[in-house]
Amino acid sequence: MIIMKFGGTSVGSAERIAATADIILSAKHPVVVVLSAMSGATNSLLALSEGKGSQDSIIERHTATAESLGLPKNICSKIHAIMDAASTPSEIVACGELLSTTIMHSYLCSKGADAAWVPALDFMSVGTDGEPDTKTIKRSAKTAIEKTGQHDIYITQGFICRDSSGAVSTLSRGGSDYTATLLGEALGAESVQIWTDVDGVYTADPRRVQTARRIPKMSYAQANTAARRGAKILHPDCISVAMAYYAYFAAIAGFKRGYRHESFVVIEISYNSASCFRME
Ligand code: ADP
Ligand code: ASP
Ligand code: MG
């Protein structure tokens, strides 16, 4: 079992969703796919949760995306149902990942894939301290996946979770990377791949700094420093999970791999020692 995480940039439009679906379809199965909300969707939902912006424009964006992908008509009622069911601010913010995964799942099924939709709210929980409750995640993740039966592809949501009282909540911004590594640990995955729109971790944001250089190999400490200094490409907490659970087995690589439609693996945390290099 491998975990592939795609961020908002990889599901930000119908074209990106189709390209990402191609990558998922040609991956080694079984695969658990962790998705973020469409780029910008979480910002719109946050505004909506504060009484600003409009629910209609969010529904329109997702419906138009589904239509461009040629999805069956019932996807529109699913989109409405997800939005209508949200009442608390956190439930509203959580809609982004519920919508993107619903669209991706429907698209993969329309392509004939054997894909299941797994609710992250059934396994991702945080404790009273707001930190992930790894024991519960470990126990529940397997059950949530098994409940759907055996499939090639399991699609689930990054970022969203339940708090200690069972209410819908979220991790911190950019938290889908963290979901992916937590899930990798919980399921004993072979590897966790974080896919995005730039070909690796750079010395600075390559979109802003022309002289930024790609870092071809990184130690955990370097990745940690980069993430904590604000390199948006990796959520800082996902490095800590990798360090805690995969130390001495893991590789973090900034190498370009599987280039297709501007999607890249920026890190691959792997149990497979053959493809690993060890760094303290
Ligand atoms: P995703 O939607 O895939 O989670 P993010 O937008 O969160 O992607 O992160 C990818 C973006 O991070 C890149 O498009 C890039 O502009 C930005 N970025 C910031 N700092 C760095 C860095 N040091 N190396 C690479 N990318 C960086
Ligand atoms: N959608 C969430 C955010 O925008 C989580 C993520 O993208 O990882 O912060
Ligand atoms: Mg991100």
Side-chain angles (χ1 to χ4, degrees):
M1 164 96 64
I2 64 164
I3 314 279
M4 297 171 99
K5 177 264 168 178
F6 294 91
T9 49
S10 303
V11 292
S13 66
E15 293 72 27
R16 291 279 176 121
I17 291 172
T20 296
D22 279 348
I23 295 170
I24 297 167
L25 288 166
S26 53
K28 185 179 164 204
H29 298 154
V31 57
V32 177
V33 177
V34 176
L35 295 185
S36 300
M38 293 180 79
S39 50
T42 304
N43 287 347
S44 308
L45 288 161
L46 267 167
L48 188 65
S49 75
E50 290 163 3
K52 295 174 248 161
S54 92
Q55 169 164 319
D56 288 351
S57 64
I58 297 169
I59 291 181
E60 263 165 41
R61 179 182 179 195
H62 288 87
T63 308
T65 303
E67 276 168 8
S68 303
L69 289 166
L71 300 186
K73 286 273 171 279
N74 70 349
I75 193 81
C76 294
S77 45
K78 284 188 184 170
I79 289 169
H80 276 93
I82 288 169
M83 291 298 298
D84 290 348
S87 53
T88 68
S90 292
E91 284 172 358
I92 292 170
V93 176
C95 283
E97 275 70 14
L98 294 171
L99 291 168
S100 64
T101 52
T102 298
I103 291 174
M104 178 63 87
H105 175 246
S106 174
Y107 183 67
L108 287 167
C109 291
S110 77
K111 294 267 148 202
D114 172 28
W117 191 88
V118 184
L121 296 176
D122 282 2
F123 63 84
M124 271 302 293
S125 48
V126 295
T128 43
D129 56 0
E131 290 300 316
D133 174 356
T134 48
K135 274 195 189 131
T136 304
I137 296 170
K138 196 165 195 161
R139 194 170 4 90
S140 317
K142 250 194 162 139
T143 312
I145 283 179
E146 281 169 6
K147 222 159 88 181
T148 67
Q150 282 225 331
H151 300 280
D152 292 339
I153 301 167
Y154 301 90
I155 304 283
T156 195
Q157 305 80 42
F159 181 56
I160 69 174
C161 61
R162 287 193 188 276
D163 68 15
S164 54
S165 70
V168 173
S169 183
T170 58
L171 303 174
S172 56
R173 294 301 306 269
S176 301
D177 300 341
Y178 197 15
T179 303
T181 48
L182 287 164
L183 201 49
E185 200 283 316
L187 298 173
E190 260 170 63
S191 68
V192 179
Q193 302 171 350
I194 310 278
W195 290 71
T196 191
D197 60 343
V198 287
D199 65 345
V201 183
Y202 280 68
T203 49
D205 187 340
R207 294 193 189 285
R208 288 166 199 260
V209 182
Q210 277 206 335
T211 51
R213 282 174 296 103
R214 192 165 61 83
I215 308 170
K217 281 187 179 184
M218 300 182 86
S219 65
Y220 282 128
Q222 282 175 305
N224 208 20
T225 306
R228 296 207 181 270
R229 281 197 187 139
K232 201 178 153 212
I233 195 159
L234 294 172
H235 189 280
D237 293 331
C238 86
I239 309 292
S240 323
V241 176
M243 279 169 98
Y245 294 105
Y246 297 88
Y248 309 120
F249 296 96
I252 291 191
F255 57 87
K256 187 154 81 173
R257 219 192 65 159
Y259 172 72
R260 200 188 299 192
H261 303 287
E262 296 181 2
S263 283
F264 301 89
V265 179
V266 290
I267 67 165
E268 180 163 16
I269 301 159
S270 173
Y271 275 123
N272 176 3
S273 56
S275 67
C276 292
F277 52 88
R278 178 179 158 177
M279 296 184 91
E280 301 303 329

